[in-house]
Every structure is written in C-alpha cells, then in structure tokens.
Amino acid sequence: MLKVENLKVNYGGIEAVKGISFEVPKGEIVTLIGANGAGKSTTLRTITGLVRAREGSISLEGEVITGLDTPAIIGRGITLVPEGRRVFPDLTVLENMKIGAYLRNDSLEDDIAHCYELFPRLKERSWQMAGTLSGGEQQMLAVARALMSKPKLIMMDEPSLGLAPLIVKGIFDIIREINKSGVTVLLIEQNANMALQIADRAYVMETGRITMSGTGAELLANEDVRAAYLGKGK
C-alpha cells in the first residue's frame, strides 16, 4: 500500500528525519513508536504533503506521490487524523464530518451513517458545536472526519493522547473495526503497549532513524523495547 524509501526531512537547518525506509502492506495495521522528537509526526506530515521531503521517495500502490500537494494525495486515498484532534470548534459535528469529504462529489449519506454506527455518540450530538465536545468525543469526530474521505490508508497521530484509559480502549477497538472494514492503518502512538497489541508490524523510531522493526508481538516481547517504552525490563 505505502512504501517509504530513504526519506530525509529538514526543519530549517535541523535534519528531523534521517533516511528512513519502511512499508505499510495493504490491509495491515502498522505502528511507529518512539519518544517525543523522534520524527514520527514529521514523517506523517511529509507523507501527506504538509512538509516537503529533502530526499527519498514515497509511493502509494506503486505510484510515486513525493512532491504532490496535499489535496492530490488525499484524492489518491490517504488521510490523516492529526495529533491534538484539530476539530473546527465553531462548526457542528455534522459540518466537521462533511469537511472531511470536501474532495468528493458523490452522496455522503451512507458514509455518514457508517460513521454514526462506529460512533453513536456523534449521532446524538450531530448538531452540537464541536468545541463543546469532550476530548474523547473530539477524537471520535477527528477519526470520523478522516473516514469521510473514503481512504485506502488512514494515518493516526497519537489518537490516545490526553484521554482516559476507558476511552483509550474504545478508540483502539474502533481502529481494529476500521481495519477490518478494509482500510489500511498507519499509527503513531506513545501508548506503545496498546499500539503493539493491535499492530501486524511495527517500527521503533529514535532521533530521526528507524532502529528496530518486527511484528507487533515481536516488539512487544523484546526486552529493549519493554525497558524503553513499556516500563518493563526482564
């Protein structure tokens, strides 16, 4: 589905991403874990065209998309749920969802209904201003808005950030449901335990480089990963 090769990204004079390569196979959940400042969010922003790559290539289903603008990339089937949710606070829940479909010209009714099935709470609050929702509800809305573009690949940047444990479990259950419906998932998450539990494969990113990779289960059992990211040694 997605192939990233030798990607290098600069912020000013700082090399934030230092030649990383990884793949996201169709139909899988792939996660990038790592500390703050590792370059994970920069990687997602570069894939979506929000940041320009200095070197390297990004391909979607064999087509090079490096250098395309963000609407063109979204039109090819990639969408991003940004860190911090970034809903439009002065628009209703339904209006926020429709913004996710701004490139579409077909009927939205079935997809709105599907999002309401995934997130019944959004249906109850469809005419409520997004800025008045709880943090968990705003995260649900950010995911629903992304799904309205009918993506092949959905990328999520820290979906559990700042949420209560019970809400976090619900978000990860929804990620599984989205994947089961046929959408490939690339996930960035500091809750490494939860992310690795649902991941088909995973990569550890440190200071702009990928330092380790394997299946989610393999990294979950790795002593170095456990010590660094799960708070558990031997």
Side-chain angles (χ1 to χ4, degrees):
M1 176 65 73
L2 183 76
K3 188 172 186 179
V4 175
E5 296 181 282
N6 193 35
L7 184 66
K8 297 181 180 179
V9 184
N10 279 27
Y11 274 135
I14 299 172
E15 191 175 37
V17 178
K18 303 173 183 178
I20 65 170
S21 298
F22 66 93
E23 295 183 2
V24 181
K26 184 177 181 179
E28 291 193 2
I29 298 175
V30 176
T31 188
L32 292 173
I33 64 170
N36 282 335
K40 306 185 304 299
S41 293
T42 299
T43 299
L44 294 198
R45 289 173 60 82
T46 306
I47 292 169
T48 51
L50 296 169
V51 174
R52 294 293 178 185
R54 180 168 64 85
E55 290 184 26
S57 70
I58 303 164
S59 302
L60 179 70
E61 296 185 315
E63 178 189 2
V64 175
I65 60 171
T66 322
L68 295 181
D69 62 21
T70 299
I73 291 169
I74 293 172
R76 281 163 173 75
I78 296 179
T79 192
L80 173 65
V81 181
E83 181 181 0
R85 300 178 275 278
R86 309 273 182 98
V87 299
F88 296 93
D90 297 326
L91 298 179
T92 68
V93 166
L94 182 58
E95 287 168 339
N96 268 269
M97 288 170 58
K98 287 182 176 180
I99 284 174
Y102 75 98
L103 290 177
R104 293 175 53 183
N105 296 313
D106 57 332
S107 173
L108 305 182
E109 289 183 11
D110 289 346
D111 295 292
I112 290 171
H114 175 62
C115 287
Y116 284 159
E117 287 176 9
L118 286 173
F119 304 108
R121 203 171 303 179
L122 296 183
K123 185 175 183 179
E124 297 169 5
R125 291 160 170 73
S126 62
W127 297 105
Q128 187 171 325
M129 293 298 173
T132 66
L133 299 176
S134 69
E137 290 164 348
Q138 288 188 15
Q139 185 62 64
M140 295 173 193
L141 178 56
V143 174
R145 180 181 61 193
L147 289 174
M148 287 298 297
S149 70
K150 298 182 75 171
K152 301 172 184 176
L153 170 67
I154 186 169
M155 304 192 299
M156 301 187 184
D157 192 349
E158 302 285 4
S160 76
L161 186 66
L163 302 181
L166 186 61
I167 301 297
V168 170
K169 182 182 182 303
I171 292 293
F172 277 90
D173 287 343
I174 290 296
I175 293 172
R176 284 194 183 98
E177 285 298 314
I178 291 168
N179 180 243
K180 286 177 182 177
S181 74
V183 180
T184 304
V185 178
L186 176 56
L187 172 68
I188 284 179
E189 184 53 66
Q190 284 199 56
N191 188 333
N193 184 46
M194 292 289 289
L196 293 174
Q197 284 184 46
I198 69 168
D200 295 291
R201 68 188 65 206
Y203 298 86
V204 176
M205 194 167 180
E206 298 176 342
T207 60
R209 294 184 173 89
I210 289 175
T211 58
M212 198 178 303
S213 65
T215 67
E218 286 170 347
L219 292 193
L220 196 60
N222 184 284
E223 292 185 3
D224 291 336
V225 173
R226 292 169 68 85
Y229 300 107
L230 305 179
K232 301 173 184 176
K234 293 183 180 180

